[in-house]
Amino acid sequence: LDSGFVEQLDPTGAVVGSAEISGVGGMSGTGCPGIGVGFDSVWTCNGADVMRFSLDSFAEVSAIAAQKTASQGHLAVGFGKVWVLQRDGSALAGIDPETEAVGESISLPVRGSDLAVGDDGVWIVSALDNAVIVIDPTNGTVLHRFDDVQSPSSLSILGADVWIGGSSAVHRIDQATAAIVSTFEGGSGRTGAVAADETGVWVRREAEVTHLDGATGAITDSFTLDLGGSSPGDMVVAFGSLWISASNDRT
């Protein structure tokens, strides 16, 4: 939460764990977007530092000076590390969960805004450069680059499919062939989100949420969130439900 707390919800939505991030400063908050789970830990942040909490005790373990960029909402894990976009998003680094050492910075050809971990590399979206790139985690080389994506700001990976939410369209990329196989009009805008499930993808654009069939792009479900106004937020599919956050509504 912006107020500097990490909360754990059970599948009913009840808060079953809560921990305060040290140094954030209460309800005024100097926290940042960014959360992930891996290596028996919850990873979040305070400013440019990555904060680690024990998944068992929910106690704060450490603060890691990772120079995290402000826009990165997903602290994704994979290939034995926690991945962080650094400074203005033009660099990538992995945190070793055993030593908590921040690896050597990998210079990027774009300014990344968020990321996810795929089968062969780290996928990075760049809303500023209208590009999506895939970085080899072993040597830092660019495996793939997609430039025909308008302002990509959100991404979700499930199985073979990588879903990219842009300002005016949603793209499905096949990991095996590294090709954009489908483009569906609409998009998640600059403050929305995409969340893949077994049959397609959920797309949030401000208060409007739709579900697209993965093969045809047909809308199979839709609803409007009851918000007090424009409220950015993320989405995730878990426990047979779609979970949506609304930051301005603190919900």
Side-chain angles (χ1 to χ4, degrees):
L1 307 177
D2 288 343
S3 57
F5 286 82
V6 179
E7 291 187 344
Q8 183 184 49
L9 310 181
D10 74 7
T12 71
V15 177
V16 295
S18 182
E20 185 174 7
I21 302 172
S22 61
V24 172
M27 292 303 293
S28 60
T30 56
C32 70
I35 196 162
V37 175
F39 309 113
D40 296 319
S41 302
V42 178
W43 305 86
T44 184
C45 46
N46 179 14
D49 292 346
V50 170
M51 312 297 292
R52 184 177 192 174
F53 287 79
S54 167
L55 197 57
D56 293 328
S57 66
F58 228 49
E60 186 175 304
V61 176
S62 52
I64 303 168
Q67 302 182 67
K68 177 188 172 296
T69 195
S71 65
Q72 182 184 347
H74 300 113
L75 286 165
V77 302
F79 306 105
K81 294 182 179 179
V82 182
W83 294 96
V84 179
L85 291 166
Q86 295 181 303
R87 300 182 291 277
D88 64 352
S90 59
L92 173 72
I95 300 173
D96 186 323
E98 295 296 328
T99 65
E100 297 186 346
V102 181
E104 183 177 352
S105 294
I106 299 169
S107 295
L108 302 175
V110 298
R111 286 179 59 182
S113 46
D114 208 352
L115 59 75
V117 173
D119 292 340
D120 300 317
V122 180
W123 290 70
I124 299 169
V125 291
S126 173
L128 289 171
D129 295 291
N130 297 316
V132 179
I133 61 173
V134 186
I135 298 296
D136 187 321
T138 62
N139 56 28
T141 60
V142 178
L143 296 174
H144 308 290
R145 176 168 177 158
F146 307 86
D147 289 302
D148 299 326
V149 183
Q150 186 65 37
S151 301
S153 58
S154 56
L155 70 169
S156 180
I157 298 177
L158 182 64
D161 294 327
V162 179
W163 293 93
I164 305 294
S167 60
S168 59
V170 176
H171 307 270
R172 180 167 66 92
I173 302 175
D174 183 271
Q175 287 202 71
T177 62
I180 298 177
V181 294
S182 303
T183 296
F184 306 127
E185 296 302 317
S188 57
R190 293 183 177 273
T191 60
V194 292
D197 65 14
E198 295 295 338
T199 62
V201 65
W202 292 92
V203 182
R204 177 185 171 184
R205 187 181 184 93
E206 295 186 348
E208 301 299 321
V209 180
T210 57
H211 183 266
L212 304 181
D213 180 272
T216 67
I219 296 175
T220 58
D221 200 354
S222 65
F223 58 90
T224 302
L225 298 171
D226 183 15
L227 302 177
S230 177
S231 191
D234 202 4
M235 298 193 301
V236 64
V237 175
F239 305 109
S241 298
L242 177 66
W243 300 76
I244 306 173
S245 64
S247 61
N248 291 351
D249 291 67
R250 298 185 177 183
T251 302

